[in-house]
Each structure stands twice: as C-alpha cells, then as structure tokens.
Amino acid sequence: MKHLRIKTFIRLTVIIVTVLSLTILTGLLVVSFSHNELKEIRNAAKQKSDEIVDVLENEGLEAASSNERLKYKVEDYASDQNGRVMIIGRDYMVLMDSAKANENSYLINDKVMELMKGDAEEVSYDTDDSLVIMTPVKSSDMVVGALIYKASTIEAKNNIKSQVTMSIIVLLIILAVDIIIIRLISARAVKDINDVNEKIMHNALGNLQDRLPEDEGFIEVQVLSENYNDVLEKLSTIDQTRSEFVSNVSHELKTPITSMKVLAESVTQNEAATVDDYKEFMVDIVDEIDRETKIINDLLTLVRTDSKQDEMNFDETDINEMIETIVKTVKPLAKQRGIKLTYDSFREVTARVDAVKLSLAISNLIENAVKYNIDNGWISCSLNADKEFFYIKVADSGVGIPDDAKDRVFDRFYRVDKARSRDTGGTGLGLSITRSIVNAHKGTIKLYSESGKGTTFTVKIPL
C-alpha cells in the first residue's frame, strides 16, 4: 500500500473481486448444468430399466425374453439413449442383447454374481462413456435373472465440455469489458484528486493566494478542498502576522533607541548644560533602556513558550495559594488608584501546572485589569473547579475592549489604545504571552468585554 496509487489499488481490488465472483458463479452454473444433464440420463435409464424388469417379472423371464414386442422395446430404449440392454438368465446366459453381440453366450463378473446372490437390490456405476444400471429380475422373491441397462453419456459430457468452453469465453469477454470499465471509473475517481494535487504543488511554490474550487467533483474532494482552503487561509494569516510581527519588533526596538539618541544629542549639543541637566537626561535614557530590556525579555519569553525550547516544569501546585500571592503583589498598585481588588475561592484546587509560567500569565491578566481600569474602580478574581478543569476569572470595571479589537488583543504588539499602553509601560506582548502559557497547559482563554463597561477574562485548564 505504501507505494501504490489509489487508481491502481481500485483497479486491482475490483478486478480481483470481479474475477472471483464470476469464476464462482460460472463454476456453480457449470456444476449445476452437469448435474442436471447426468441426472436426466440416469432418471430416464432408471425408468426404462424398471419398465423392462416389470415385464420380465410379470410374464416370466423365459417367455418375455422371446417376446417380440419386448424385443422391439429393448432395442428402442437402447437406441434412444445410444446404449445397450442385456437380459441375463439364472445360468448367466445372455437371453437378449440389443446389440446382438453376446446372445446365447455367458456373462459372468463380480457385479452380476452379486445380483444373482441377492446381495444387492441394484448396482449402478459410471464409466468414461456410459452409465450402467444392473437390476435383478425376481420371481416369488427369488432372483431368476438380471437386466443390464447401459446408457451413453458421451453426448452429455460433450455438452458439458461445450458449456465449460462457452462459459470460459463469456467469462473472459465479461472480464475484458469490466477491465475497460474499471479503468474508466478509476481514472474518473482519482481525476479530481490529481487536479487538487497539481494545485497543491502550485501552492507549494509559494503562491498562497490561489484557492481550490469548493463546488466541483465528488463530495469527498469538495470537503478536501474546503479544508485545504482553510489551511491556506490560516497560512496566509500566519504569514501576514509574521510580517507584522517583524515590522512591530523593528518599530518597538527602534523607538527607545531613537529616544536615547535624541536625548544624547540634546545633551552633547547643549554647551550650557549643567550637571543637573545631564542627570535628568541620563534618567530618561535609563528609562528607555529599561523599556528596551522589558521588550526584549517579553520577546524571549514568548519565543521560548511558542517553540517549547523552555521546557514546562509541571508539578502539583496549590492554585489558591498561587493566586493569593499574585493578588497580594498587585494590590499596592491597585490601591494607588483607589481600585478595589478582591479574590474569591469557591474550593481548594490542586493541579499539575508550571507554577512559574502560570503565575506570569495570571499576573499579566490582573496587572492589565489595573492598568486599563478607571480610577476608584474594581477588580474581581475568582477560582473554581469541577472534576476535570479549574477555572480562573478576572473581571474589571475598566475601559473595555471595542468589538473590532476583540479578535486581535492576543496578537503580538497589538494595543487597543497605543498611547495609553505606552504610558502604562505596556509592550503589547502580555496577552500573547498569557495565551501561549495557557495553551502550553492545554487550556483555553476567553474574553467577554464591552467598550466602556469593563472586561472579563476566563481561563480553563485541565487539573
């Protein structure tokens, strides 16, 4: 199967099934025909043999054997079946022979002696060219003679041979026609697949814009085309995202460098700059360096998570304690803006997770809830679980996310409000990192938001 074409497989399979079916059918028909032909000869021979025996038993063997009417009947019967009829007396003498060859001579053999002794009611056997039926002739329950009835089977066997020859010829003709039809059917069956394969080869050269027609060919080919087009769509999206990512990385890394260059040039070109001016400019340069470092660190975290170079360290972890620690860490930041941060645990949850990475993901969600919240707002965190999963929910009263941005908030470097994000120190990578970590735990993350009415993130992870 490994190196076999579908077309060849279909042809071989159908041909084998057809040959077996036709051979079995033909064999059964020939056997049935042969059986019926020989059965008809046997039944006719048995009937005529019984008629002659009845005459011999009713009229007496000696009288009947000299009966001209019986003699004609014997000859007619023998002629009808191209055979021979002989009447044997008790002394093994041939009293009548339709062939006129052995009359008044003696016929002694094992089968005749078996009949004369009364050991058998009938003896029948086949030879190469005839069927022989030997029947005892009785008088007062005593065997007084025997009838040998021989019917030719040459014509029947020739008919059987002709039937076999004709069946083989018909079988070969049907097989030849079937092979032609099978070739046409198999070629048509794989034509659409070959067309799809050619277009896929064309796409493999780098053209991701061409799509396969989804309304042509067999249903399976249509489904294949639909799935392949979906894959192309995702590849195009990935390619576009990669280009945007490279562009965004270049832009994000270039911005702090440009700022530092401007600050450095401002100091060097200002001959009247004082020590305090230098200190102020150096503080700004350090801030830009910190920003650059944060972007680079976030990028490294994202790359490690995506490429799985950074192995996951799963261990039994108290999820309640982990979230409580994160909430305590973020609370001072929330308190500065008068934001009320609460945490509710509905049950004790222990799960096998990478505590370091999952803590980073949950911290990103809670910190974002603080950064993009309104002053004196609220943040609600909760933890729950069932038999298979645990659920973390982070809801806030913040600015919310517009409908046109909900599908992109997890994209790298995407910011709903770019100016506000930079003011709060965001790199646009936090949610991307969070989703990558959740995916690495075979979990899912969903958001529910309405612009101006807050946002809710729900994380679902297997226990």
Side-chain angles (χ1 to χ4, degrees), residues 72 194 440:
Y72 290 134
N194 289 335

Side-chain angles (χ1 to χ4, degrees), residues 372-392:
Y372 303 108
N373 212 326
I374 58 176
D375 291 339
N376 301 314
W378 56 266
I379 299 173
S380 174
C381 303
S382 65
L383 172 65
N384 206 343
D386 56 26
K387 293 181 180 179
E388 298 182 30
F389 303 91
F390 68 90
Y391 306 87
I392 300 172

Side-chain angles (χ1 to χ4, degrees), residues 144-164:
V144 295
L147 175 70
I148 301 176
Y149 193 105
K150 185 177 182 181
S152 174
T153 57
I154 294 175
E155 184 178 355
K157 289 182 178 178
N158 287 336
N159 289 338
I160 292 171
K161 289 179 181 178
S162 299
Q163 186 68 29
V164 171

